[in-house]
Amino acid sequence: MTTTKASYATGATQDGQEMRRRNVQTQNTSNGNIAHSSEGYDEKKKQKQTPKQSILSVLDEYEFLIAPLIFTIVSFFTRMYRIGLSPIVTWDEAHFGKFGSHYLKREFYFDVHPPLGKMLVGLSGYLAGYNGSFEFKSGETYPEDLNYTFMRLFNSAFGALCVPVAYYTARELNLRRPAVWLVTFMVLFENSYATISRFILLDSMLLFFTFTTVLCWARFHRLQKESFSPEWFFWLFLTGANIGCVCSVKWVGLFCTALVGLYTVEDLWNKFGDFEMPIVEYGSHVVARVVGLIVVPTLVYMFSFYVHFLVLENSGPGDAQMSSLFQANLRGTEVGKDSPLEVVIGSRATLKNMGYGGGLLHSHVQTYPEGSQQQQITCYHHKDANNDWFFYPNRFEPDFDPEAPLKYVADKDVIRLIHSQTGRNLHSHQVSAPVTKADYEVSSYGNTTVGDDKDHWTIEVVSDAASSDRSKIRTLTTAFRLKHTALGCYLRAGNVNLPQWGFKQIETTCVKENRPRDVYTHWNVESHWNEKLPAGDPGSYKSPFLRDFLHLNVAMMTSNNALVPDPDKQDDLASQFWQWPVLNVGLRMCGWDEHIVKYFLLGNPAVYWGSTLSLGVIGLLVPWYLIRWQRGYTELNQEDIDHIHYSGLYPVIGWFLHYLPFVAMARVTYVHHYYPALYFAVLTTGFVLDWTTRPLGKKDWRLEWLVYGVLYVIIVGLFVLFRAIVFGMVGDNKQWSHLKWFDSWRITD
């Protein structure tokens, strides 16, 4: 009878039924029973059980489609319900909404993050019919003609789609169904994920591409025995494409890249030890991974910048971060506009440092607080009259005569640079620079008549993008160095910022070492004014894409490193790394007045505390099995070891890779920086529960589902309890005081 039930439950065909009849007859004959009577009894029983067992069989067979579909529907609800309730610019919508506006106006801007996520924000605005005119000031009410609800819905879709991706990732990690559902529940009903996905931010996109990268990696690993098959190549290249996407949203994606990189190194190392593998096959594995996991991500990342440059064709607020030649090719720019091509003595000009992220040579009336206490020299990224300098003859030559014949500035010429606003000379002396003590200080000193030979600088031409003729200095195209004639040092502006007394502008020094390839000692004329010279055509020379790509990325890195806490200011929103895994702190996303719809960025306690506890459990589980293995116990077979290795340890490694950098990082940190790491902790939780409940499942599957059912109820229950911080708190915040479990949860005043 057991055989009959099992066969029918799998949805057998008529042939299957015939097989059952033969089995039953054989069984009845051996027992001496009448076969016909037994068949009649079975037929009556089947008539009663067929509908129920067929439904369960279909649900079981198509669970991999039905379950994620249901989860996804619920996910869209949790991410989108009442999403347009708050009509004000909330938290970092002030930044990323504004960046989206720049794409719609096609204005060049600068930001520390790569462009893909912000281009998607711009796309959401385009689809919403937004024209880019709103300034996205924090706390400001959205205008009626801006469909901010649609833009939020667009972003929330990425957050909602994380749920089915998490489901399939857990399946690919070979977790059993209850654990797969647990991982899905933890992502679906994680309050912080649901909250941050509801606004015009980059985090939902970052999480989505992090999730898809892990899914593709997990699927690729499952196909190791099918190397070089079409499906194997498909998931390899899809992994690389998603690595490129996640890195193109935020550089946090590099931590996900490191996870896949570690796996690849281990995989190739293991194959290297396989003596049966031909060297050609091993070489093919290496080449495939280089192309799929290095070349493809790099191309995706570079392509996002190519589109970025292509769209942002107009001059905008971020121009000064780019090279002069790049700026000159933007529409509406003042850089190089009507500028004479060749520089002469008496010309007024701005000098741009050609280092990555370099600024304009600048001076102001403020003096150094120590050292020479003369007028400060810095590099500054914004347009300012204090960036203007006059080219003057050196003190051993006749004074400048505006009526004299034009004298072109050329290679090896010794000149003076006079600050146009204060009339002081660009000067250096044997006084240590304020920050970089190994270099000489550079200052503004004297005037057109008062000074000495330490005001003299020798021009050394490095290259010219337009000509091989170095006899003249040309606007935009000529790269040159300024050598201090008396000291032999070179004018340099690196990536060192002055303290607050220097307005955090870039320190400009005279470096003693002669390093011709040091681009931070390279300068070019950006803007040039001289009524006696004809206007040039700066747009006739194009800046190479690769140079612009590298320049912008270094500038992003430099600015990112400068995001350090200001000791003179208190940031109530910032938090520290140790607070995140234990859910010690949340974040107010907006003002807390009664008339404002309030949102509080706080995780689901069950998800946070459970996932952090799981990290500790697996930290004990692995040493436990290592000790037992050393003592000769062999309860684990190779399949179990591989399962612990890839489904248990790799999520832990992913957590460490996404968490530890913020421990060492000096920049300002916030709770949302933990969200990618949280996902790996959730996967770890799924593995730990899957592994520890296996004996229970073998003993009684109903008891196992009861345990998981309790966990599901706790997770959903806490999400419902804290639903107001997700969907918006309306009215006096005191009514939510029951959610303030700790004083650090600033849900109420």
Side-chain angles (χ1 to χ4, degrees), residues 469-486:
D469 179 14
R470 296 188 177 186
S471 63
K472 299 176 182 179
I473 299 296
R474 296 175 179 82
T475 305
L476 299 174
T477 63
T478 304
F480 59 89
R481 306 170 79 203
L482 289 169
K483 179 181 179 181
H484 194 271
T485 309

Side-chain angles (χ1 to χ4, degrees), residues 497-540:
N497 293 89
L498 292 171
Q500 190 59 50
W501 54 256
F503 309 102
K504 297 295 182 71
Q505 295 175 12
I506 297 176
E507 180 191 35
T508 303
T509 65
C510 202
V511 62
K512 301 170 187 175
E513 295 83 5
N514 180 11
R515 297 191 297 267
R517 294 186 178 181
D518 181 6
V519 292
Y520 295 100
T521 63
H522 295 184
W523 303 82
N524 69 266
V525 174
E526 181 170 282
S527 296
H528 177 203
W529 299 270
N530 195 314
E531 296 178 354
K532 296 184 177 181
L533 296 173
D537 180 18
S540 60

Side-chain angles (χ1 to χ4, degrees), residues 88 589-593 596-599:
I88 66 171
M589 300 185 72
C590 54
W592 231 239
D593 298 337
I596 294 177
V597 181
K598 295 167 282 294
Y599 296 89

Side-chain angles (χ1 to χ4, degrees), residues 222 315 354 532 601 651 679:
R222 290 285 294 273
S315 176
M354 299 184 70
K532 296 184 177 181
L601 208 51
Y679 177 56

Side-chain angles (χ1 to χ4, degrees), residues 110-112 321 357 381 554-564:
F110 175 78
D111 181 47
V112 297
Q321 290 287 348
H381 285 111
V554 175
M556 288 159 51
M557 181 171 56
T558 303
S559 298
N560 206 6
N561 292 338
L563 296 175
V564 296

